[in-house]
Amino acid sequence: MNVDPLALRRRLAGDPHRPIYHFTPPANWMNDPNGLIQWKGRYHLFYQHNPSEPVWGKIAWGHAVSDDLVHWQDLPIALWPDENGPDRDGCWSGYAVDHEGTPALLYTGLRAGEQRPCLATGDDELITWRKHPGNPVIAAPPDGLKLLGFRDHTLWREGDDWLQGIGSGIEGTGGTVLLYRSRDLREWEYLGPLTTGDGQTTGNMWECPDFFELDGRHVLVISPVSLRKAIYLVGTYSNRRFTPEAEGTVDFGGCLYAPLTMRDEQGRRLMWGWLWEGRDEQAQRAAGWAGVMSLPRVLQVEGDQLRAAPAPELEALRGEQRSWQHLPITDDAPLVLDLHGDAIELIARFDPASAAQCGLIVRCAPGGEEQTVIGYDNDSRQVFVDRTRSSLDPTVERDLRGGICQLGRDGLLTLRVFLDRSVIEVFANHTTCLASRIYPTRHDSQSVRLFARGGPAHLVSLDAWPMRSIWPDS
Ligand code: DQQ
């Protein structure tokens, strides 16, 4: 592709729904993050990309690099489907590792419906990738199992061995991760399932498994197709079997899927997820692009739960801070602040007091014709994003999604909210994440308000920052 990606980005920059500080493809389609790796200090993000159309199709691996985890530079497409290869119909999701000083990708090649693991090795800048001539590196799924898929890879080192988990599902049983061992990433020996679900709460086919150790526990992140969301399992790993002991939802907003993690040089476990569109194919085609990457999230395990916080590096994008303190919020009379924007960060601390619900209204039109509510519901103890009135466009998704959130020991609720045009990411009390997509139609749907319902609440503090673009001169 000879098109200058920055020129493509500039062409789309005027689109009011196109995020300015979340990673997007230069144009056309993007889905899962792939092959996350820090190489020679630089963060590399690969992603599922259809460079020809703003809809899913024949998938290649897009590639971008960042020095600071915030600003990105587009690099040439890393993997293209090969006319005569096992990846003829697509280079699907995969993982990156450092194999004795050589960057290596394991990804799923698709040919005539068959999904097979393929290996590619890169140069020292990760620009040019050479596919292993012996691809696929595993000729067929293990015998004797009725599998619902054989795709997506997680890789880790144990002594001299590489261990690989492949996402799958056993018909009539549940989702599973099939475990393999290798010395050289080329020859693989099947060891059995790493773990298998019961087909109930964890669905029947697991995409994009990611297995890692964190804070003394083992974590398996999976994207069960039928659930249309990512979940995590925290548990114990021994004798090459993983025993889940707890289960949770990675993000409650209903828009984040296929997340992938990496361990960076600081030892942090970072996660990105694909934020899919909430609009139809016609709207995607009209826009010329589709798909957003979540902000990088730093993971921690606390007890049995996986916690995620926005990477601190994102603070570099903040403009001038504005603050409010101690504002009473009357029942059913939203407090209109002198605060507007569609690319802002907010940190709001509320005392829900005796209110049934309280929180923020964002992207609000002057008469409230369009508005998105981010709030806390005392009864259900859930933080929610209500996008039932986010847009006057009847074709976009509208719903209310929530997730359990513990208030702080002080009884307060902290909502950290990233608004970025059609993207909302909420981090509530360091316990609950919600990523959502909204498409307001009015240029004046920009105001921020505070609300309480079923009793008064109290705003302890609010800090707000306009956010800068992550792209040069766009
Ligand atoms: N996306 C890829 C697959 C994966 C799915 C294809 C998850 O490898 O299972 O684009 O979104």
Side-chain angles (χ1 to χ4, degrees), residues 31-32 48 56 59 92-93 108 151-152 207-208 257-258 274:
N31 56 300
D32 319 348
Q48 292 281 282
W56 191 81
I59 295 291
W92 283 9
S93 286
T108 299
R151 62 178 178 273
D152 312 336
E207 295 186 307
C208 302
Y257 194 70
W274 165 36

Side-chain angles (χ1 to χ4, degrees), residues 362-371 442 444-447 449:
V362 297
R363 302 301 308 274
C364 190
E369 298 89 341
E370 291 183 321
Q371 53 177 285
R442 294 174 54 131
D444 57 357
S445 293
Q446 301 264 343
S447 96
R449 301 176 178 186

